[in-house]
């Protein structure tokens, strides 16, 4: 049998590493990952081998309270066993970051999976208030792999001067940056992809921010 389709087979990679099966799908080999990792609940699209999926919630009671209060955080599943697991989210593009005793701040909506060697917590953006949407995000720290998604091919901006990003378009940014929330001078000003957007994420210092080419998936229409 011949077909262009058969060019889309998973690549060979080192055990334990998070690998891209395609630019929109993550492959995780459980053999070298300590036997388990964490993923967004419902993100599994296929697996091979003897694999178990257990609901993990948001981690500790403190994180569960933070999630309930902020709306940020993740519904996680603990993936364990032996074999290969394939993950995806709404056909979004997938990117793998390898942290080496580092930390990064990520929007909860963009987190796909991460190794158990990373620690994480929910934090409020400096200067954010309930009026500005109460911007909360998740900070990962340590050494290990972290897979994130982006709706629309993202761009990485070097932050060496004050930079402002639409809140829904910011995927992740350096924890070395100082964050703030900026209010548009006129409430009716149309400066983002939506209409009348009044607040933006402000970043200063030295680092980077990843910006996706959209404000995320449009809400589903009630039918």
């Amino acid at each position: 049998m011949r077909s262009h389709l058969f060019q889309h087979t998973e690549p060979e990679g080192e055990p334990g590493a998070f690998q891209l099966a395609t630019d929109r799908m993550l492959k995780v080999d459980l053999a070298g990952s300590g036997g388990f990792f964490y993923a967004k609940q419902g993100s599994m699209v296929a697996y091979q081998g003897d694999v178990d999926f257990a609901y993990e919630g948001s981690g500790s009671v403190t994180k569960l309270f933070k999630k309930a209060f902020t709306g940020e955080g993740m519904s996680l599943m603990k993936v364990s066993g032996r074999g290969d697991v394939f993950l995806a989210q709404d056909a979004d593009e997938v990117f793998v970051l390898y942290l080496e005793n580092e930390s990064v701040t990520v929007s909860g909506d963009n987190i796909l999976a991460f190794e158990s060697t990373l620690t994480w917590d929910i934090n409020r953006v400096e200067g954010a208030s309930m009026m500005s949407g109460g911007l909360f995000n998740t900070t990962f720290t340590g050494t290990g792999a972290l897979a994130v998604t982006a709706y629309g091919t993202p761009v990485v901006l070097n932050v060496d001067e004050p930079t402002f990003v639409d809140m829904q378009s910011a995927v992740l940014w350096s924890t070395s940056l100082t964050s703030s929330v900026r209010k548009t001078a006129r409430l009716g000003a149309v400066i983002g992809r939506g209409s009348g957007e009044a607040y933006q994420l402000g970043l200063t210092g030295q680092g980077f921010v990843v910006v996706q080419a959209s404000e995320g998936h449009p809400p589903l229409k009630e039918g």
Side-chain angles (χ1 to χ4, degrees):
M1 185 181 296
R2 291 183 297 163
S3 172
H4 177 70
L5 172 66
F6 295 116
Q7 295 180 19
H8 298 282
T9 56
E10 72 266 23
E12 295 296 327
E14 296 182 5
F18 279 35
Q19 308 153 27
L20 292 182
T22 72
D23 60 355
R24 298 175 188 272
M25 190 179 298
L26 176 72
K27 174 187 175 183
V28 181
D29 183 350
L30 279 161
S33 63
F36 72 96
F37 67 96
Y38 296 101
K40 179 178 289 186
Q41 191 178 16
S43 61
M44 186 276 293
V45 294
Y47 68 90
Q48 295 178 305
D50 183 13
V51 182
D52 181 67
F53 301 87
Y55 177 65
E56 190 70 18
S58 293
S60 68
V61 173
T62 301
K63 290 174 183 172
L64 186 63
F65 173 78
K66 284 184 179 181
K67 179 183 177 182
F69 179 72
T70 65
E72 175 70 10
M74 304 161 285
S75 292
L76 295 174
M77 57 184 180
K78 181 179 178 180
V79 185
S80 59
R82 178 190 56 79
D84 297 330
V85 182
F86 297 84
L87 306 169
Q89 184 67 39
D90 298 325
D92 289 347
E93 294 189 52
V94 179
F95 301 89
V96 180
L97 290 76
Y98 298 95
L99 276 63
E100 298 176 330
N101 196 26
E102 300 166 296
S103 60
V104 67
T105 297
V106 188
S107 168
D109 289 339
N110 298 92
I111 297 163
L112 181 63
F114 57 94
E115 290 190 293
S116 59
T117 51
L118 296 176
T119 59
W120 61 278
D121 198 8
I122 300 170
N123 298 293
R124 181 171 68 88
V125 172
E126 197 76 24
S129 66
M130 297 309 293
M131 288 294 291
S132 61
L135 186 59
F136 293 83
N137 286 280
T138 305
T139 299
F140 289 89
T141 304
T143 298
L146 165 66
V148 299
T149 60
Y151 180 48
T153 303
V155 64
V156 180
L157 299 180
N158 242 355
V159 178
D160 50 14
E161 60 180 334
T163 301
F164 301 90
V165 181
D166 179 273
M167 288 184 177
Q168 283 72 44
S169 298
V171 175
L172 62 91
W173 62 88
S174 306
T175 52
S176 58
L177 296 173
T178 300
S179 62
S180 63
V181 174
R182 180 178 184 178
K183 186 177 184 298
T184 303
R186 292 186 303 159
L187 185 61
V190 182
I191 63 171
R193 290 178 55 83
S195 59
E197 296 176 13
Y199 299 96
Q200 300 86 45
L201 171 67
L203 298 167
T204 56
Q206 296 291 321
F208 67 90
V209 58
V210 177
V211 184
Q212 65 186 6
S214 75
E215 294 178 320
H217 292 273
L220 294 175
K221 294 182 180 180
E222 297 183 3

